[in-house]
Structure formats: C-alpha cells, structure tokens
Amino acid sequence: MTETAPTLRLWFMDWFGWMLDHNSLKDALGRTPFQEGRLPGLSASIPLPFQLPCRPTLEKRISMPRPFPEMELREIAPNRVVFFIPQSGTYLRSSPTDTNSIDLWASEAKEWETFFPMTVEMLRGLSLILKSDILKLKDDTGQDLPAPTLRHGFMLQFGNRSLPLFLNTAALIQIGQIMPGSSTRLALTWAAEAPPVPFTASREAPNQPATP
C-alpha cells in the first residue's frame, strides 16, 4: 500500500481582507468577503514540511473540470506570499473592483498581488475575534479591547490601534482553539519592532435554555 504524503491545507486572504475563492458559476478564480465561520470554496494543498517556494495544488470544494494554471507560491514578506505563474512570468492579482476581479497578468508583485496564508485554525480564530459579543480580549490592566474591524493590509483595527494579522499567527491559532466558556493567556504583537503584549482571551459560554 502506498502511503499518502502529509500535506498542509491553506486558504488565502487578499490585501483587501477578501478571500481567494472559486467562482463555481464560471469555474474560475474569484474573491469573496471574509465571512465568519465560512470556509472559502478554494484551498491549497501544500506538501509538508512547508517550505517556500513550493508548488501548491489548488482544490475546489465543488469539483469542476477546468484546470488552474501551474503556480509557484513564493514568500514576499514574513507570513505573506505571492502566486507566480511560471508559464507567463507573471503574478496572480486580486483587484478591489468586484468578486470576479482575479487575473494572472501582473508584471510585478506589489500589494494587490500579496496574500496572507491561513490554516483552518487561523480562520476560526479570526472569526471569533470579529464576534465581539462572543470573544473578549482583555489586557493586564483589565481593559477590554474595542470591537475590531478587518482592514486592508491584513490589519485588524481596534479603535485607534492596528493589529497586523501576519505578526500574530500563533495568537490566531490559540484563539481558534478556545472552547466555549474558557479563556487563555496569549500575546499580541502590534508592530514588528515592539515586544509582545500579554492579553487574556475569553470566549463566552453558549446561553443555556431556560428550565421549564
């Protein structure tokens, strides 16, 4: 029996906070807004150990026949990647115009060509952070962070503070693993040159139905 080689499954957020997705109506690459609790219809299977550059296998949740061009995943900055198309010498680009504005013809890699790779645990953690009625982040002075919004550049905006997602992959995974009614200690990094700041993340327990 042939053993299946271990792989890592990743999803990709674009510069504008949308997710690389599969447009099943056109059987083509597309983009959709990040939705809490939803996995996009396109993921990539990456051979382990995960090393860049590598050749990802793009997989559609809805199986359809049109193949994707061969791509090479390259690191452009820590925890940020680009998709290089060897056949054309160009890059995958996600434009902010509409859900179908994905193309393969960028001549160089800049912001619109940059993606943030995310595991399912990271997606789960981000979904929880964006639900401020379910998850609370409290610093060591007892102050709660305000409800965040997802901004371009892979940033979470908490009031007047911006948290780079790409500096906080471990924290996203930790938050995604918190069970309802539980809490955990973690560290958030607000800037590359700044030390991590300790926080307590608490997840609300689900409401229990009233006893008759």
Side-chain angles (χ1 to χ4, degrees):
M1 180 182 293
T2 303
E3 293 187 4
T4 303
T7 58
L8 172 68
R9 187 161 301 278
L10 295 174
W11 290 260
F12 298 88
M13 177 178 286
D14 72 12
W15 180 259
F16 306 97
W18 288 41
M19 301 301 296
L20 189 62
D21 211 333
H22 175 229
N23 183 333
S24 58
L25 295 178
K26 296 185 175 182
D27 192 12
L29 293 169
R31 59 193 295 268
T32 52
F34 180 84
Q35 298 176 43
E36 295 93 337
R38 174 189 178 272
L39 287 177
L42 183 76
S43 61
S45 178
I46 311 290
L48 289 175
F50 181 31
Q51 295 177 328
L52 295 173
C54 68
R55 297 290 176 97
T57 301
L58 295 182
E59 297 180 359
K60 311 167 188 177
R61 185 166 59 224
I62 300 175
S63 180
M64 300 185 77
R66 180 182 295 176
F68 294 120
E70 187 174 278
M71 301 185 194
E72 183 176 275
L73 203 59
R74 297 179 174 182
E75 184 177 53
I76 191 171
N79 292 324
R80 283 151 289 175
V81 298
V82 295
F83 290 88
F84 178 69
I85 319 299
Q87 184 177 2
S88 58
T90 56
Y91 297 87
L92 178 72
R93 172 171 49 204
S94 181
S95 305
T97 51
D98 60 46
T99 57
N100 300 317
S101 50
I102 298 286
D103 71 79
L104 309 173
W105 310 112
S107 59
E108 56 183 324
K110 296 183 178 180
E111 293 174 348
W112 293 11
E113 293 76 35
T114 303
F115 294 84
F116 176 49
M118 304 181 73
T119 64
V120 67
E121 294 85 4
M122 292 165 64
L123 288 166
R124 188 179 297 125
L126 181 57
S127 292
L128 286 172
I129 291 175
L130 291 171
K131 296 178 179 178
S132 58
D133 58 329
I134 294 178
L135 188 101
K136 303 294 184 185
L137 289 166
K138 189 185 300 288
D139 64 22
D140 282 355
T141 70
Q143 185 72 32
D144 284 337
L145 287 179
T149 55
L150 186 58
R151 298 294 180 89
H152 71 273
F154 318 113
M155 294 286 183
L156 275 177
Q157 192 74 30
F158 293 90
N160 61 357
R161 303 176 72 183
S162 297
L163 184 75
L165 294 176
F166 50 84
L167 295 180
N168 290 279
T169 55
L172 287 174
I173 292 170
Q174 279 185 270
I175 291 169
Q177 296 171 339
I178 302 174
M179 299 300 292
S182 300
S183 61
T184 191
R185 293 282 288 170
L186 52 84
L188 297 180
T189 302
W190 296 90
E193 67 279 3
V197 179
F199 280 83
T200 299
S202 302
R203 183 174 176 181
E204 295 291 322
N207 293 327
Q208 297 295 327
T211 304

